[in-house]
Amino acid sequence: MLIVYNNVHPRHHGRVEMFRGALVEGVEVPARVERVRQELVRRGMGRFELPGEMDLALLNKVHAPSFVAFLRGAWEEWVALDPGNAGRDALPSYWPIRAFRSDVVPDSFVARLGQYTFDAGTPLTAGSWDAACEGANCAITAARRVLAGEPAAFALTRPPGHHAGRDYFGGYCFLNNAALAAQALRDGGAQRVAILDVDYHHGNGTQTIFYDRPDVLFVSIHADPRTDYPYYIGYPEETGAGLGEGFNVNLPLPRGTDGAAWCRALEMALQRIQAFKADALVVSLGVDTYEGDPISGFRLTHDDFLRVGSRLGRLAMPTVLVFEGGYAVDDIGINTANVLQAYLSEG
Ligand code: OKS
Ligand code: ZN
C-alpha cells in the first residue's frame, strides 16, 4: 500500500499532560508511528513516500485562518511570556465557557490559548506546528494520490487529527487530517465523500467541520461519551443540521465491547455509507479499540483488526486511511498492519 509518511513527526513530543490534577507523562509518543513504520517494513507491505508542497489554501478553508495563524505562532508567543517557558510545554488554564464572552479576543496569550482548545491534555511544544502541518500535508497528498488512481493510501502521521475542529485543538490533535483529506477529495472531483471513524474516541472535530453539509457523510463508531472522552459530544441524536441533517451518524458502544459486537456496528456504518453512494472513503484509523490499550475500554484482538481490514477492502472504494489513536505501543504495529494487510488482500 502507498504510505505517505510524516518524517518530521518527532518534532512534536509533549513532555506532560494534565491528568486528574497531576502533570503526567503523555501517551501520544513518537514511538507510536515508528512502530507502525517498522512493522510495515518488516512485512514488506509499504511503499513509503514523503508528501509534496503543503496546500495552505486548503488548510485555511477547512480551518479558520485565525486559528491556523495562532497555531503557527503559538510557541513563539509562549516563550515570549517567559524565557523559562522554552523548557515547558504550553498547556491552557482558562476557558471561555458558556456565559463568558465569545466575541472578544484578549491580548493575553494564555487567554487566547484557552479559546483555541478544549482540554489541558494536549501539550503544545516547540515542534507541534511543524509536525501537525506536515501531517496535514500527508493526508492531503494521500487524497490526491487516490484521486490520481491509487486504489488506497495511508497517511502515517502523528499528532492525530480527528478531535481538532475548525478553530480548536485538543485530544492530542491540532489539525484535522481526515477532514483535510475529505475536502481534498471533494475539491478534486469526488461528489460525495464518506468518512468512517473507527477510533475508540468520537471524532468530534470531524463531525463539527462537516455537520451542516450533505456532501460529506460522517459515521463514527466509538465509546459512549457518557463514560468516555470527549464526553460532551458524540451522542446518537446528533444527526446533522440544516442541509446536513441526516448526514451525521454516531454509533456509541459501551465499555467492554468485543470484536463481535463492534463488527455488528461496523455493518450498520457500512450500510449507511453504501446507501449514501460515496465516491470515495476516508477512514480515521485509530487502533485504540485494542484490548490492550492503556487508556481505552474495548476488547478488539489482533485477529479482529484483520476482520476490520478485509471488510473495508471488500468495499472496493477509493480509500484514504488516516492514522489516529492507539497507545499500546508494543502492539500498535501489528494492529495497524493487520488492518492494512487484510485490506490489501481483498483488492
Ligand atoms: C486524558 C485522556 C484524553 C483522551 C484523549 C484521546 C485521544 C485519542 N489523558 N483520540 O482518538 O486517542
Ligand atoms: Zn482515540
Side-chain angles (χ1 to χ4, degrees), residues 17-19 162-163 171-172 199 201 229 288 295 324-327:
E17 60 181 75
M18 179 67 86
F19 182 68
H162 72 152
H163 294 302
Y172 311 148
D199 186 279
H201 306 92
Y229 188 95
D288 40 11
I295 68 166
E324 301 282 1
Y327 307 97

Side-chain angles (χ1 to χ4, degrees), residues 69-140:
F70 172 83
L71 267 190
R72 177 185 280 122
W75 182 255
E76 228 168 88
E77 284 199 73
W78 171 247
V79 174
L81 284 182
D82 171 354
N85 278 355
R88 285 186 287 267
D89 299 343
L91 289 177
S93 312
Y94 315 99
W95 291 273
I97 69 158
R98 294 184 278 282
F100 284 58
R101 294 272 296 268
S102 55
D103 59 328
V104 292
V105 180
D107 296 336
S108 161
F109 173 76
V110 294
R112 281 178 290 119
L113 181 62
Q115 284 182 319
Y116 286 121
T117 186
F118 61 94
D119 64 40
T122 309
L124 191 152
T125 75
S128 297
W129 167 258
D130 287 356
C133 190
E134 185 70 345
N137 196 5
C138 289
I140 294 167

Side-chain angles (χ1 to χ4, degrees), residues 128-325:
S128 297
W129 167 258
D130 287 356
C133 190
E134 185 70 345
N137 196 5
C138 289
I140 294 167
T141 301
R144 294 201 172 135
R145 294 299 304 271
V146 167
L147 283 166
E150 198 71 46
F154 178 49
L156 177 55
T157 186
R158 55 169 290 283
H162 72 152
H163 294 302
R166 188 171 156 73
D167 61 358
Y168 55 84
F169 69 97
Y172 311 148
C173 303
F174 295 88
L175 298 171
N176 196 309
N177 306 316
L180 287 156
Q183 189 61 50
L185 291 166
R186 282 287 293 114
D187 292 350
Q191 293 301 304
R192 283 177 301 278
V193 175
I195 303 174
L196 172 65
D197 190 323
V198 299
D199 186 279
Y200 178 79
H201 306 92
H202 176 248
N204 61 285
T206 319
Q207 166 170 315
T208 54
I209 287 169
F210 297 112
Y211 205 62
D212 58 2
R213 283 173 52 172
D215 56 328
V216 178
L217 170 70
F218 178 71
V219 184
S220 180
I221 304 167
H222 51 269
D224 192 327
R226 288 179 297 184
T227 58
D228 278 82
Y229 188 95
Y231 305 115
Y232 311 108
I233 183 168
Y235 295 83
E237 64 270 23
E238 297 156 20
T239 54
L243 292 175
E245 178 60 54
F247 298 96
N248 195 89
V249 181
N250 283 328
L251 301 170
L253 297 171
R255 279 183 160 260
T257 291
D258 65 8
W262 194 95
C263 284
R264 286 195 290 276
L266 178 63
E267 288 310 314
M268 291 203 277
L270 296 181
Q271 220 166 60
R272 184 68 190 81
I273 287 169
Q274 288 189 301
F276 178 66
K277 300 199 187 308
D279 301 305
L281 177 67
V282 175
V283 180
S284 263
L285 180 58
V287 294
D288 40 11
T289 49
Y290 176 54
E291 58 183 350
D293 196 89
I295 68 166
S296 306
F298 288 171
R299 289 168 30 212
L300 273 65
T301 62
H302 293 320
D303 282 355
D304 288 323
F305 288 104
L306 290 169
R307 275 178 211 111
V308 173
S310 55
R311 190 65 187 88
L312 296 178
R314 273 196 282 146
L315 295 172
M317 287 171 72
T319 301
V320 179
L321 301 114
V322 179
F323 195 46
E324 301 282 1

